[in-house]
Amino acid sequence: MKIFTTDGIRRIDEATIEAENISSLDLMERAASAVAYEVISRWRPSKRLVIFAGPGNNGGDALAAARMLSEQGYRSEVYLFNIKSSHLSPCCSTNKDRLQDCPNVEFNEVVDTFNPPELGPDDVVLDGLFGSGLRSPLKGGYSALVQYINDSGAYTVSIDVPSGLFGEWNMGTDHRNIIKAKLTLAFQFKRLSFFFAENAQFVGEVKVLDLDMDERAIAQVPTDFYLIERDDVKAALRPHNPFINKYDNGTVFLVAGSYGMMGAAVLAARGATRAGAGLVTVHAPRCGFVPLSTAVPEVLFEADRNEIFTTNIDLYHKYSVVALGPGMGTSDETVDAVDTFLKSYRQPCILDADALNCIAKRPILLRSIPKGSILTPHEAEFDRLFDLHRTDEERLKKAIDVSKLYEVTIVLKGHYTMTVRPDGKVYINSSGNAGMATAGSGDCLTGVIAAFIAQGYAPDWGVVLAVYVHGLAGDIAVEEQGTHGLIAPDIANSVGRAIHSLVKRPE
Ligand SMILES: NC(=O)C1=CN([C@@H]2O[C@H](COP(=O)(O)OP(=O)(O)OC[C@H]3O[C@@H](n4cnc5c(N)ncnc54)[C@H](OP(=O)(O)O)[C@@H]3O)[C@@H](O)[C@H]2O)[C@@H](O)CC1
Ligand SMILES: Nc1ncnc2c1ncn2[C@@H]1O[C@H](COP(=O)(O)OP(=O)(O)O)[C@@H](O)[C@H]1O
Ligand SMILES: [K+]
């Protein structure tokens, strides 16, 4: 699913109006009736409803919803903010007029002074102050109003977006000036800002309301942001050819593990084999031989010269894909080995965990990363490489820049893992759960990504599929273990089932 910018959504609104030969007011009726329906399906008419409407079309939606709710027997107190009678948008103005004779509506137009109503936790607030037309962070009286609503404890339902929140970037906006919705009723599309952890406190539960926007415009309006969902992955996964042999499924060379961290190598290897790699070789220090051959007997072991950490990454065979990092440690000798490897290996590779930490210890190595490589940092690893970032938004912006600069794909791991490609496209993952915040789950992901690329999926798309599959494996495993009990081996062992549930069976 495409995630559009505010500008893109405006273009789709306009295209819908033109294609269907309707007016903005008609589209607003559609939007408002979807909002009213949500209110009716959640609360009884006796619920106290306080509606705040701004001067633009977001306010128009709120006024139209008040009228529709009144027709269904809901009482509401409505506050329309038309400060100094400046101007209402035409649709807002028409809906103000239409509201005048409605029963059950206590209408107040705030022109200069605002006497706030008493609000408490038993009340429902409908927030139609500002939507996608917000031009700058709220301040002054609006800021005070937002804080008043937030402090009241009322159940706040935001129309389209929480007022004060921009659809994309919110750097520099004081968080006190944004409505904290319990429920956001987004028109047709989620917004990019909804996916950043720092904004979860504003958007609350998100429900997307289908306004039946013009399909052609949705297909044609460009965007750089995509939400990856089950159907996208299902359409892309290939079933096995019955005559396949293991080499057709690709070979993975995994450099992972060190004394005390062999579990990381085990999890990465298990992720790779369960995701369908034909043959997996693990290069690890000698101390890894017994744990690896016991825990994952299906993989080959290649011993480093050193007993406890990796010091020499030599490739004696050609592999479909090479992945470095899980549990490797960052001893000086390992940093040297990563350095030598990056300067001699010219194929794209996968760099995770300690491979990234080694590069962070010697940042000049960033320039030696083969073009087309895939980096899979969690937020601390990313910040070690590219400076400290306070928010997911800042981190994503930086990832977009460095992905272009170094021509690498960056998988920013988190609740919504974002895969950032050098062409500026960002793929937001929708699978996975909080139970996956457990040691080793990222190691498993490295193996899954390696396996997808080894099997011949184009790396830039294979990585997106692998991230989804890994999250789905977590979702399958959490059904049995719950979020508290989930551990990384559960995820690795569910990867096969995840793929099995997605692959189309041959007819
Ligand atoms: N397009 C369609 O067909 C449909 C659109 N729909 C709905 O329309 C919404 C977008 O409506 P919109 O474009 O009118 O913008 P909106 O968010 O109401 O705000 C604009 C007003 O706020 C003011 N203002 C802005 N920033 C401010 C600030 N910092 N501080 C103070 N004031 C500020 C701004 O003032 P101005 O900049 O003009 O001076 C203007 O008066 C969208 O989210 C959805 O809910 C649906 O009905 C479906 C059909
Ligand atoms: N709250 C969460 N919701 C969804 N997925 C999560 C959550 N927390 C972590 N994950 C996923 O689990 C993995 C954790 O990776 P990472 O932090 O590298 O783990 P480790 O280093 O212990 O192997 C990532 O794929 C991440 O997207
Ligand atoms: K709003």
Side-chain angles (χ1 to χ4, degrees):
M1 180 201 278
K2 285 174 160 179
I3 302 291
F4 291 102
T5 59
T6 302
D7 189 49
I9 291 175
R10 197 165 296 129
R11 285 170 64 185
I12 293 167
D13 287 347
E14 284 163 11
T16 304
I17 287 167
E18 200 183 310
E20 295 189 24
N21 198 16
I22 55 172
S23 65
S24 267
L25 210 52
D26 295 328
L27 197 54
M28 187 172 280
E29 286 292 289
R30 211 183 275 178
S33 74
V35 169
Y37 178 86
E38 283 304 318
V39 172
I40 291 166
S41 65
R42 286 163 200 259
W43 292 283
R44 293 163 162 270
S46 55
K47 192 77 183 168
R48 179 165 178 244
L49 204 54
V50 182
I51 300 180
F52 294 101
N57 287 349
N58 197 248
D61 295 335
L63 299 178
R67 167 172 38 87
M68 292 168 189
L69 286 164
S70 119
E71 285 160 6
Q72 300 300 318
Y74 283 71
R75 297 184 63 78
S76 61
E77 295 153 52
V78 177
Y79 293 84
L80 168 63
F81 288 80
N82 184 13
I83 302 301
K84 305 225 181 330
S85 302
S86 48
H87 53 268
L88 300 178
S89 74
C91 292
C92 183
S93 181
T94 305
N95 274 300
K96 173 190 151 188
D97 296 342
R98 288 179 178 177
L99 196 61
Q100 298 313 310
D101 298 327
C102 286
N104 305 322
V105 176
E106 188 193 308
F107 179 76
N108 306 274
E109 186 161 356
V110 181
V111 178
D112 38 42
T113 42
F114 170 52
N115 298 317
E118 288 272 316
L119 283 179
D122 290 337
D123 304 324
V124 171
V125 162
L126 202 52
D127 153 37
L129 286 168
F130 300 99
S132 54
L134 184 74
R135 67 179 138 69
S136 55
L138 296 178
K139 55 183 190 196
Y142 284 122
S143 162
L145 173 62
V146 164
Q147 288 178 39
Y148 171 74
I149 294 171
N150 285 347
D151 291 345
S152 71
Y155 190 108
T156 302
V157 180
S158 284
I159 298 177
D160 205 16
V161 291
S163 296
L165 185 76
F166 292 97
E168 292 84 52
W169 313 114
N170 286 276
M171 200 118 67
T173 305
D174 186 333
H175 281 187
R176 287 171 301 184
N177 300 334
I178 306 173
I179 285 286
K180 286 185 177 159
K182 284 232 164 47
L183 171 67
T184 296
L185 301 174
F187 292 144
Q188 195 78 37
F189 310 102
K190 290 185 181 177
R191 308 300 158 89
L192 180 63
S193 60
F194 293 4
F195 296 97
F196 299 130
E198 63 271 14
N199 296 334
Q201 58 176 321
F202 307 120
V203 292
E205 175 195 344
V206 178
K207 174 131 194 218
V208 175
L209 304 182
D210 186 359
L211 300 192
D212 208 9
M213 295 291 196
D214 184 49
E215 287 297 333
R216 256 184 54 172
I218 293 175
Q220 282 173 2
V221 171
T223 182
D224 282 335
F225 305 98
Y226 299 84
L227 180 67
I228 295 298
E229 296 175 297
R230 189 178 180 89
D231 284 349
D232 301 312
V233 182
K234 229 176 151 159
L237 290 188
R238 302 187 297 255
H240 275 151
N241 173 338
F243 292 93
I244 204 160
N245 73 50
K246 64 175 178 263
Y247 296 104
D248 295 327
N249 284 332
T251 53
V252 173
F253 186 69
L254 201 55
V255 184
S258 57
Y259 183 80
M261 294 201 285
M262 284 317 300
V266 169
L267 289 162
R270 185 47 63 80
T273 52
R274 287 287 192 204
L279 197 64
V280 176
T281 301
V282 177
H283 175 102
R286 293 178 176 277
C287 66
F289 176 67
V290 172
L292 267 165
S293 44
T294 312
V296 274
E298 69 271 27
V299 309
L300 300 179
F301 182 79
E302 185 190 275
D304 194 90
R305 281 197 286 269
N306 193 281
E307 188 64 32
I308 58 173
F309 45 68
T310 284
T311 58
N312 62 293
I313 308 169
D314 302 312
L315 296 182
Y316 299 108
H317 305 282
K318 196 166 162 21
Y319 296 93
S320 316
V321 65
V322 175
L324 270 69
M328 274 174 87
T330 57
S331 66
D332 289 347
E333 291 86 341
T334 303
V335 176
D336 287 340
V338 171
D339 188 321
T340 310
F341 171 81
L342 289 178
K343 284 176 178 155
S344 58
Y345 190 69
R346 294 325 314 150
Q347 301 298 315
C349 57
I350 301 166
L351 300 169
D352 178 37
D354 281 337
L356 300 174
N357 294 331
C358 286
I359 296 171
K361 282 180 109 178
R362 204 172 286 174
I364 189 86
L365 283 180
L366 277 168
R367 298 203 200 138
S368 303
I369 297 174
K371 309 269 177 272
S373 290
I374 295 165
L375 280 56
T376 59
H378 57 54
E379 58 183 61
E381 286 157 357
F382 185 85
D383 285 2
R384 252 173 242 141
L385 277 171
F386 302 114
D387 297 334
L388 219 53
H389 298 85
R390 285 164 304 170
T391 60
D392 279 4
E393 172 185 319
E394 280 184 14
R395 215 167 272 116
L396 176 64
K397 280 187 154 178
K398 181 56 113 13
I400 292 170
D401 288 347
V402 293
S403 164
K404 270 193 197 120
L405 179 66
Y406 296 109
E407 293 178 55
V408 295
T409 292
I410 297 185
V411 180
L412 266 181
K413 293 183 289 192
H415 180 61
Y416 292 109
T417 292
M418 299 194 182
T419 301
V420 182
R421 295 195 333 199
D423 61 2
K425 301 266 184 250
V426 177
Y427 297 89
I428 304 168
N429 187 51
S430 65
S431 62
N433 60 77
M436 298 174 75
T438 180
S441 50
D443 305 327
C444 169
L445 174 64
T446 300
V448 179
I449 295 172
F452 270 75
I453 295 171
Q455 286 170 89
Y457 289 96
D460 56 0
W461 184 230
V463 62
V464 172
L465 302 177
V467 168
Y468 183 89
V469 162
H470 173 255
L472 180 60
D475 290 340
I476 291 170
V478 86
E479 287 297 316
E480 267 181 31
Q481 302 296 340
T483 51
H484 291 77
L486 193 73
I487 52 174
D490 301 328
I491 304 171
N493 286 328
S494 301
V495 168
R497 261 179 292 160
I499 297 172
H500 188 63
S501 74
L502 292 167
V503 174
K504 289 188 287 286
R505 312 281 182 276
E507 304 282 297

